[in-house]
Amino acid sequence: MVMKSAVEDDDAGWGLGIPEKVKNSANWVDITHEFKNSCKELNLGELLHDKLFGLFEAMSAIEMMDPKMDAGMIGNQVNRKVLNFEQAIKEDAIKVKDLSLPELIGIIDTCFCCLITWLEGHSLAQTVFTCLYVHNPDLIEEPALKAFALGILKVCDIAREKVNKAAVFEEEDFQAMTYGFKMANNVTDLRVTGMLKDVEDELQRKVKSTRSRQGEQRDPDVELEHQQCLALFNRIKFTRLLLTALIAFTKKETSSVGEAQKLVAQAADLLSAIHSSIQHGIQSQNDTTKGDHPIMMGFEPLVNQRLLPPTFPRYAKIIKREDMVAYFSKLIERIKTVCDVINTTNLHGILDFFCEFSEQSPCVLSRSLLQTTFLIDNKKVFGTHLMQDMIKDALRYFVSPPVLSYKCCLFNNHQAKDYIDSFVTHCSRPFCSLIQIHGHNRARQRDKLGHILEEFATLQDEAEKVDAALHSLLMKLEPQRQHLACLGTWILYHNLRIMIQYLLSGFELELYSMHEYYYIYWYLSEFLYAWLMSTLSRADSSQMAEERILEEQLKGRSSKKTKKKKKVRPLSKEITMSQAYQNMCAGMYKTMVALDMDGKVRKPQFELDSEQVRYEHRFAPFNSVVTPPPVHYIQFKEMSDLKKYNPPPCSADLYLAASKHFQQAKLILENVPSPDPEVNRILKVAKPNIVVMKLLAGGHKKETKVLPEFDFSAHKFFPVVKII
Amino acid sequence: MATMIEENGPSTHEQPDVSSSSQARQKLEGLLNKNMRIRMTDGRTLVGLFLCTDRDCNVILGSAQEFLKSTDTFSQGEPRVLGLAMIPGHHVVSIEVEADSLDDAQGFGADH
């Protein structure tokens, strides 16, 4: 980017003098010899330049003939003519009719590979538009190829529109530039799917007519034709289903998402047949040219080389045909998962859904589809619910605030209604942003989570004020009820979740050094998880208070004996999980302190920074949060000082304590009624760590100078400690 | 602006061999900000404003446009905008300037 902006600046600064006559004027005078001789008179290292141009400006020039900077070089080193579509037709280098079945299959497969490479973040010019056929499908006479070319353009166009709309991509994820190519905009979606369907029907007839009949001697040629027709049929059908599914996503009704799910499932059924027929397609003819592109009919990898920006060239390595089907099947799996989101009704459930989906680092298309399915036209959730209603439901589910209870006098009180409505309205934007953040790639999420804390800090402030106002209102109307810290608790809960996620993601992204682990885990266990648990239990007791009041009201009205059943508390699972996480963090914290005591943690030579600088940098985003207040380095040092214990613990004590924490986490998790994969993942870390800590407490390999290893393969946030 | 000039240093230096080297320097300075056409070893031609050079004949052109070989019919006349570009001296095949602009660049092209 630096280079690009530099070039733009230069255009402003140095571009004034380019006269129009440059193009046509032929009055050039050769001065090569004199120029070179004059240059030789200059001193070594001396730059001859204009007063306004210096070394600084010179630095931002791109260096010609350097393959890392000069994108134009590649196109020029190939010993063949680079033809565009029209020229290729003129020179008979490309067929537009009477293509053989293997040619069609080969072209389609290569196009699929280009499509995938584009979806993985390369530019259209270097991927899909290396296929000359898509440059102008009108010139294609072969109906199957024409329909396919239009189909693939439509797929690109809709995918691009979706990704742009969802706005959860960065330059490393996706290139939205179309370089002025037409994306089949002159043909309607319906017309294209219709064309594909016609081709499909035609092929199906051929497949049927070449099918083997009982008792008939099989002609190998007919059998081959049958196989090839079938292969082409499957590819055309796949294209149509993919396109129709994407079109379904553009519709506004929720029902169309279900339809899309069915369509991609049908497309997935074709994949194994496509995979087994790859060999029927023609292969690239020669691979001798420079660059990674296979050269085959209909494709010219260098056709758009001159459209590329003057930044350093990026090489698009088109994926192999063998990997194509595997990618498609994963993509379809992801799209199917995306469709499931509409079955989640609760805002917290949706948030969890987004978190979980993001954990598998999905592609930009599926991430974008999830976003656009969630908020259709940025107004209503799934196109039907108001975000405000979703937030109210979430509040009811989490803290049951009296103001949202039908049985409370506040529910119909105008003033109370105004308060809560304006609060909920203010909530909706930050919560939409929060959900959008989970659509970004993992690395960008962390950065954005740090920033959104500021917005949540403002909400926190408002929530506390609204709580206070509602409480005083309620005290007048129903003195036996309270409205204390309901909304505040809910916002605090989200604050804490974001903070925890922010810190934990640093482990996943491998940002922390080993010597930093101890304060990160300390902050999590002693502070954030402790706060989270107290917040959850406050919400739980608020729920219970509300239920009690409801029960009493019911009893008062009907003499029917309400059956007392022990209900599972809605938040109990989350409280349990938080306890387990807290124990894991505490165990890791004590492990790290003990390892440090034994000299088994490598520390940097702090010259230009110090631990305090690093600590403050790690927790910097928390400074915008009021509740919980940030723990400053000095406070942390005081709070974690081991000298306040008498006698101060030695490393063996700490290992033992760590072992107990891991043991505790294991106990908690083993009692979870229906363990999900996450529970099992934590257990996989807790169990070996219990043993390792016990061994270390017993003095195992105390003398070894080899540093321990931290293996994050079982869990993203908690490593298995390995002593070698 | 003043600071920038200082940073960039004076464009001329004291020379022992005053006669030939100062003349060469003067010639080159006369070409500054003139339109220049440079052919490179791989056949491409760059057209842009001459901004800077050094002893090894490395040349920096501003607002450079890239033209492919003239034999290539396809891309002829369709330049690619490069912006600021440096051509290493050993890749420079030929250098040309616009004739009209030579009027005030003393010394160059005179004996042609």
Side-chain angles (χ1 to χ4, degrees), chain A residues 85 89 93-112 128 131-154 184 192 195-200 202-203 206 232-233 235-236 239 282 296-299:
Chain A
F85 193 27
I89 295 174
I94 193 168
K95 285 190 201 169
V96 286
K97 58 181 172 188
D98 304 327
L99 282 95
S100 69
L101 286 167
E103 280 169 342
L104 289 171
I105 295 165
I107 290 167
I108 289 176
D109 282 355
T110 312
C111 267
F112 281 151
V128 178
C131 176
L132 297 177
Y133 290 111
V134 300
H135 286 207
N136 192 354
D138 293 341
L139 299 177
I140 308 171
E141 289 170 46
E142 167 71 43
L145 190 55
K146 182 172 184 167
F148 174 77
L150 287 169
I152 207 93
L153 281 173
K154 283 282 179 199
V192 175
M195 283 165 83
L196 285 163
K197 186 83 182 99
D198 290 346
V199 172
E200 222 176 288
E202 176 66 31
L203 283 166
K206 267 194 207 159
L232 186 59
F233 169 78
R235 280 160 175 77
I236 297 287
T239 313
I282 51 161
M296 65 176 284
M297 201 219 353
F299 291 83

Side-chain angles (χ1 to χ4, degrees), chain A residues 10 14-15 19 27-29 31-32 34-36 41-43 46 48 62 64 70 76 82 306 308, chain B residues 15 20 25 35 37 42 44 49 52-53 55 63 66 68 74 78 80 84 86 92 95-97 99:
Chain A
D10 293 316
W14 308 100
N27 266 343
W28 292 99
V29 179
I31 51 163
T32 317
E34 292 161 274
F35 190 93
K36 283 192 174 171
E41 297 288 334
L42 297 172
N43 293 324
E46 179 187 353
L48 185 127
I62 58 164
M64 303 308 290
D70 185 2
N76 226 20
V82 175
R306 294 178 63 74
L308 300 180
Chain B
Q15 278 304 306
S20 80
R25 213 164 268 123
N35 246 318
R37 189 160 85 169
D42 73 337
R44 280 180 293 165
L49 297 175
C52 182
T53 190
R55 192 161 88 158
S63 312
E66 176 197 273
L68 292 188
F74 166 41
E78 283 175 52
R80 191 165 80 106
L84 202 58
M86 192 273 274
V92 173
I95 303 174
E96 293 163 295
V97 275

Side-chain angles (χ1 to χ4, degrees), chain A residues 11 64 187 208 252 278 288-289 383 429 517 579 603 624:
Chain A
D11 279 348
M64 303 308 290
V187 200
K208 274 184 185 156
K252 285 182 177 56
I278 286 175
T288 52
T289 45
R429 215 182 56 87
Y517 287 174
Q579 280 169 343
K603 286 191 167 176
S624 57

Side-chain angles (χ1 to χ4, degrees), chain A residues 341-353 374 381-382 385 390-398 435 490 494:
Chain A
V341 74
I342 54 165
N343 303 323
T344 320
T345 45
N346 185 291
L347 185 66
H348 287 189
I350 292 171
L351 204 54
D352 289 341
F353 186 99
F374 167 68
V381 179
F382 307 141
H385 314 292
M390 297 292 285
I391 290 173
K392 281 185 187 170
D393 282 344
L395 270 165
R396 266 188 214 111
Y397 161 84
F398 190 75
I435 282 175
W490 183 65
H494 284 288

